[in-house]
Amino acid sequence: MKQRALWSAVLIAVLAASGCGSASGPKEADKAASGGKLLVWDWKSGDATAASYVAKAKADFAKKHPDTTVEFVAQPFDQYYTLLGAAVQAGKGPDVMLFNGGGQIRDRVDSLVPLDEYIADDKQRLAGWDAFGKDGKTYAAPVTLQGHPIYYNKALYQKAGLNPDNPPRTWAEFTANCAAIAKAGAKCFAQGNKEGIGIQFFMSGLGSGILTPQEYDDWIAGKRDWQSPDVKRLFQLWKEVNDSGLNTDGANSTAMFNDAFGLFEAGKGAHMIGLMSDIGHWKDFNEFLKPENVGVMTAPVVTEGATPNLPYDGGIGYAVAKSTKDPKLAADLVRSLTSTEALTAFYADAGAIAADTTIDVSTAGPAVATIVSDLKAGKPALHVALSSKTIDLMGRLSQQLLSGSVTVDDALKQLAASDKPA
């Protein structure tokens, strides 16, 4: 998804190859143009945990449109946006496609259909719409809510002589706990930044304890001051945490997906800024650590006056391509993909915190109970407000900050220049 310079080469491969993954999509799009088929691209439908979700969505759609077939083509996530961009550029894209909320979809709304007239009845039932909108229009319907809770290993807390039911409230308390955890044989954070993603989790997971409420709201609203002391403190802390040995070893050579999560599950790191759904999250961690040992805490306060909250937005959502033959038909498929029955299956099998607010999660365990209770006071994640261009640059600079090849001041200057309106 960070390979836009390779679009031409990928485009040739997409158009020429056949028989697997990314190559099959554009060929199938030609079939969809016949009017009897809708083609969906995503990176989820090939997962075993999503099988029931896809089946429920297809069944719901079939009730309304029995003469239309639906085909899902699961693409590799690390190439998804490059492949999608190439296919759309060539006029060979799918009818319906999955997007992450935030910059990834906002940068591509020119090729999408506004869905507002089709999804009015779903507005109250589903949450997370803001992440899929731009200039007052909605371009995708949310499937999940995605956020960045700070998970912690209660068993490691006990081993270190700490109270597992009283997580630290301030940064001083947090670092004191880290010292105790180190004596117990573990690092403070499980960290992975090989893809440049770790900084996104760090920014959004800890940012509400660093920025003041006004700074936080201004950031989300697009009034970002990259030179403010608190923004600078956030990036300094990113470097300091690693330099002082609080991260698991080799953060820049450790993939977030799924090596860093594996370190947390193995008890190598006591804390993990993870996801709400549907990977690197409570259900994965419950399997390895046991539900009673998976804690969820808010960001420790670094700056006086900061008000910690759970950062979350719409996570993933399905959109409709402007090139589709029948936008209403494709929008009906999006509605089936966000139906209560389908999303209930996604929650049950994959552990997704679904965008459907009517789903009962009371039996999921203490971590989910904490997450859901924190949603009411939650705010959008800081990194989701950034464009994909700035996100990509921040990932590269985050690696350079950890390696010592760029200063915080220089990194912030580059990010401020990138974040200016086009």
Side-chain angles (χ1 to χ4, degrees):
M1 59 182 173
K2 301 177 182 178
Q3 307 173 43
R4 293 182 185 173
L6 301 179
W7 271 23
S8 296
V10 172
L11 178 56
I12 293 170
V14 168
L15 295 178
S18 62
C20 64
S22 61
S24 65
K27 280 183 172 291
E28 293 301 334
D30 290 337
K31 297 179 184 178
S34 66
K37 182 180 242 181
L38 288 176
L39 179 69
V40 182
W41 273 26
D42 60 21
W43 60 88
K44 288 293 179 189
S45 56
D47 296 350
T49 54
S52 179
Y53 161 68
V54 171
K56 296 285 187 186
K58 290 177 77 171
D60 181 79
F61 183 75
K63 291 176 187 176
K64 299 178 285 186
H65 303 284
D67 297 329
T68 302
T69 60
V70 177
E71 178 165 353
F72 285 78
V73 175
Q75 305 287 5
F77 179 67
D78 61 349
Q79 302 174 45
Y80 181 77
Y81 290 107
T82 302
L83 294 170
L84 181 62
V88 170
Q89 223 178 33
K92 302 287 185 177
D95 301 281
V96 172
M97 67 279 281
L98 188 63
F99 278 100
N100 294 104
Q104 293 292 7
I105 188 168
R106 292 180 186 132
D107 289 350
R108 295 166 171 84
V109 296
D110 288 347
S111 63
L112 303 176
V113 174
L115 297 181
D116 301 87
E117 65 178 294
Y118 306 113
I119 45 80
D121 292 342
D122 300 323
K123 279 288 189 176
Q124 295 302 313
R125 179 176 58 86
L126 300 177
W129 292 100
D130 288 350
F132 302 102
K134 183 175 182 179
D135 298 331
K137 296 179 180 179
T138 305
Y139 291 92
V143 172
T144 66
L145 299 179
Q146 188 58 279
H148 295 272
I150 304 173
Y151 295 96
Y152 67 98
N153 185 331
K154 290 187 174 184
L156 274 179
Y157 264 54
Q158 288 180 315
K159 184 179 179 181
L162 303 171
N163 183 350
D165 297 317
N166 186 29
R169 303 295 179 186
T170 68
W171 188 251
E173 292 173 358
F174 184 81
T175 53
N177 282 7
C178 290
I181 289 163
K183 291 179 181 178
K187 296 288 188 175
C188 202
F189 282 107
Q191 183 60 271
N193 197 47
K194 186 176 181 179
E195 316 96 321
I197 294 175
I199 185 64
Q200 299 176 31
F201 286 43
F202 189 90
M203 170 181 276
S204 288
L206 295 178
S208 64
I210 301 173
L211 304 186
T212 67
Q214 187 62 57
E215 285 177 316
Y216 198 108
D217 292 344
D218 285 346
W219 181 283
I220 299 301
K223 296 178 286 186
R224 290 181 279 274
D225 180 2
W226 289 91
Q227 304 304 321
S228 82
D230 291 339
V231 172
K232 185 173 182 178
R233 182 66 183 131
L234 193 159
F235 284 86
Q236 287 173 330
L237 210 60
W238 165 255
K239 180 171 172 58
E240 288 173 13
V241 163
N242 196 67
D243 289 351
S244 57
L246 299 187
N247 286 337
T248 46
D249 295 339
N252 272 350
S253 59
T254 303
M256 177 68 76
F257 298 95
N258 288 309
D259 294 344
F261 297 130
L263 291 171
F264 178 68
E265 291 163 352
K268 303 295 185 182
H271 304 87
M272 178 86 223
I273 303 174
L275 300 172
M276 278 164 45
S277 60
D278 59 318
I279 189 172
H281 66 327
W282 62 274
K283 189 165 187 176
D284 287 345
F285 301 152
N286 284 357
E287 181 181 348
F288 289 89
L289 301 178
K290 298 182 180 179
E292 63 270 21
N293 289 329
V294 180
V296 175
M297 61 179 280
T298 53
V301 173
V302 177
T303 303
E304 186 176 354
T307 305
N309 63 71
L310 174 65
Y312 81 96
D313 301 85
I316 55 176
Y318 282 99
V320 173
K322 189 176 286 186
S323 60
T324 191
K325 292 281 187 178
D326 188 339
K328 185 179 185 305
L329 182 69
D332 273 355
L333 178 55
V334 169
R335 295 196 67 202
S336 292
L337 286 161
T338 55
S339 66
T340 296
E341 189 174 7
L343 294 183
T344 298
F346 201 27
Y347 154 71
D349 294 349
I353 302 295
D356 192 321
T357 59
T358 67
I359 295 174
D360 181 9
V361 298
S362 60
T363 61
V368 173
T370 301
I371 289 170
V372 172
S373 68
D374 287 345
L375 288 174
K376 292 181 181 178
K379 290 187 176 183
L382 292 172
H383 78 273
V384 177
L386 302 175
S387 69
S388 58
K389 179 184 72 171
T390 301
I391 285 283
D392 288 350
L393 175 61
M394 187 168 72
R396 294 192 298 274
L397 290 171
S398 73
Q399 294 169 331
Q400 294 169 22
L401 284 168
L402 296 192
S403 69
S405 59
V406 71
T407 66
V408 170
D409 286 338
D410 187 41
L412 290 174
K413 287 178 182 176
Q414 291 186 51
L415 289 166
S418 170
D419 194 36
K420 289 180 179 177

